[in-house]
Amino acid sequence: MDFTFTEEQQAAVEAAKAVFSGVAPDRVPSPALTQGAVAEDFDRPLWARLAGSDLLSLVLAAEHGGAGLDPIALCLVLRESAKVLARVPLLETSAVAMAVQAYGAAELAAEVLPRVGRGELVLTAAANGRTGHDPAELAVTARRNGDDWLLDGVQTGVPWAQCADRIAVPAHTGAGRAVLALVPRDQPGVTLADQVSTSGERFAEVRLEAVRISAHRMIGAEGAWEWLRDLLTTGTCALALGLGERVLAMTSEYTGKREQFGFPVATFQAVAVQAADRYIDLRAMEATLWQAAWRLATGAPGALPVTGDVAVAKIWASDGVRRVVQTAQHLHGGFGADTDYPLHRYHAWAKQIELSLGPAAAHEEALGDLLAAHPLG
């Protein structure tokens, strides 16, 4: 079997590396030293550079001005973005755009996608529900009102909501099925309450009270929300992988220079074993990520639904990124907590990723339910 990436995917990685090479992780105030959010907006100059390098149109079809690449290419770019803690809604915008492209009406796609590719329209998704523990589609109701729909409910922890032009909101109908609404941020009836993430970024509680949405901005195709949810999760696993790889590289560089008793601490067996364990974590995170991304990209059949592969990726990413940053802090000693050194920022971002993915035990339980429902022959 050939596990190498295509030339187009590798070209996307090189373009991403070039754009992100100028990003400094400590460009904004530290979340450890800032009361409230570290910034009011995301990194707009970086967003413009991403658009200029065609990375915002990477996953859009040619008819919408894009390169027509797949979730694997998106995850490769996200992996690079996490290495520098890029403060842009790349995951949310790209994932929602792909859902619109795959499941939305032609009118909606024509209205949204070309502007997304040019960097003119920012998208985000409400994927956490009312509490972060219940299915997001149950937090909002959608009911018909003439030719339109009315939305009522609350979604918490919506990233970049104050800066996004459209918010993808999952909802349930009276028939019990899930639909997806593309809601303008300034639509009458939409109220945003500021929240601050563990990484110091602005989140929002989004409250909807009789919010009227035209029918063409509703996506009612079966499986649309579930596909978007899995893509958002898989993209978050890609962020965890990129962040973890950068943290392990920082740790390797530090322990190679830091000396005790006349020798670099990297030569001590206890240090080398801990670093090796974290390397194994990263390789497991990588393998399970690409399995999930491949299933999403190809729709290939498997012994379990694609949700099973996503659950396995979440198990490794959630636990793995935590172990990597904890070991890094331990091997850096007191230097790891120094706010003049960027490691504490990576720790905060890793904790945010871990919390957004949820505990590994919950994913193991979900995976067990899938195995029970789909016995392996």
Side-chain angles (χ1 to χ4, degrees):
M1 298 180 69
D2 184 3
F3 291 101
T4 57
F5 298 109
T6 66
E7 290 184 7
E8 292 82 2
Q9 291 165 347
Q10 293 176 15
V13 173
E14 293 306 313
K17 286 181 177 179
V19 172
F20 293 129
S21 63
V23 178
D26 56 356
R27 184 167 291 172
V28 296
S30 165
L33 302 176
T34 308
Q35 288 188 347
V38 295
E40 292 297 308
D41 201 357
F42 61 86
D43 190 340
R44 295 279 179 175
L46 176 58
W47 193 250
R49 293 199 297 274
L50 289 169
S53 300
D54 295 328
L55 289 171
L56 297 184
S57 60
L58 190 72
V59 294
L60 304 181
E63 64 192 272
H64 301 301
L69 297 189
D70 57 14
I72 296 174
L74 173 60
C75 287
L76 284 166
V77 174
L78 290 170
R79 179 187 190 179
E80 297 304 317
S81 76
K83 293 178 182 179
V84 296
L85 306 183
R87 300 182 53 260
V88 287
L90 179 60
L91 167 59
E92 295 80 8
T93 295
S94 299
V96 173
M98 293 182 78
V100 169
Q101 181 170 263
Y103 295 97
E107 182 182 357
L108 180 62
E111 173 189 319
V112 169
L113 300 183
R115 295 180 63 197
V116 166
R118 295 192 297 268
E120 299 169 359
L121 199 70
V122 177
L123 309 176
T124 191
N128 293 317
R130 182 182 293 270
T131 65
H133 299 288
D134 301 319
E137 66 273 18
L138 300 183
V140 176
T141 60
R143 65 185 190 278
R144 280 281 191 179
N145 185 267
D147 293 333
D148 299 331
W149 290 78
L150 293 180
L151 304 180
D152 291 277
V154 177
Q155 295 277 356
T156 193
V158 181
W160 316 109
Q162 296 90 339
C163 313
D165 301 293
R166 304 282 190 276
I167 304 171
V169 178
H172 70 281
T173 68
R177 65 188 181 91
V179 294
L180 194 61
L182 214 60
V183 180
R185 182 193 66 217
D186 56 358
Q187 187 79 356
V190 175
T191 304
L192 305 182
D194 278 358
Q195 297 175 321
V196 181
S197 71
T198 302
S199 58
E201 300 298 337
R202 287 182 81 192
F203 276 23
E205 178 188 82
V206 178
R207 187 173 296 274
L208 305 105
E209 297 181 3
V211 176
R212 184 175 296 274
I213 300 296
S214 59
H216 82 277
R217 288 180 174 169
M218 297 290 295
I219 301 175
E222 184 177 355
W225 161 240
E226 290 78 8
W227 187 86
L228 173 57
R229 180 190 62 205
D230 284 344
L231 180 56
L232 288 167
T233 300
T234 303
T236 304
C237 293
L239 294 174
L241 175 63
L243 186 150
E245 288 176 328
R246 178 60 190 136
V247 166
L248 189 61
M250 292 168 63
T251 305
S252 176
E253 181 180 358
Y254 176 78
T255 56
K257 295 178 179 178
R258 176 76 167 90
E259 291 190 0
Q260 286 185 354
F261 311 112
F263 297 94
V265 296
T267 62
F268 299 168
Q269 186 178 32
V271 172
V273 166
Q274 290 182 72
D277 285 343
R278 300 296 78 82
Y279 178 82
I280 293 170
D281 277 335
L282 290 171
R283 297 291 68 80
M285 291 165 64
E286 183 177 21
T288 54
L289 164 66
W290 298 132
Q291 171 69 12
W294 175 75
R295 289 287 305 277
L296 281 171
T298 63
L304 294 176
V306 64
T307 306
D309 292 294
V310 174
V312 173
K314 288 168 74 174
I315 290 167
W316 278 102
S318 180
D319 268 4
V321 75
R322 172 178 51 79
R323 288 194 292 258
V324 168
V325 294
Q326 285 180 342
T327 296
Q329 289 281 12
H330 175 63
L331 296 182
H332 275 82
F335 198 56
D338 189 338
T339 54
D340 290 329
Y341 186 68
L343 182 59
H344 75 286
R345 292 177 180 271
Y346 285 89
H347 200 154
W349 277 59
K351 181 55 68 174
Q352 177 61 45
I353 289 173
E354 180 192 354
L355 292 172
S356 66
L357 288 171
H363 311 321
E364 291 165 353
E365 183 178 348
L367 184 60
D369 291 340
L370 281 171
L371 288 167
H374 302 82
L376 303 180

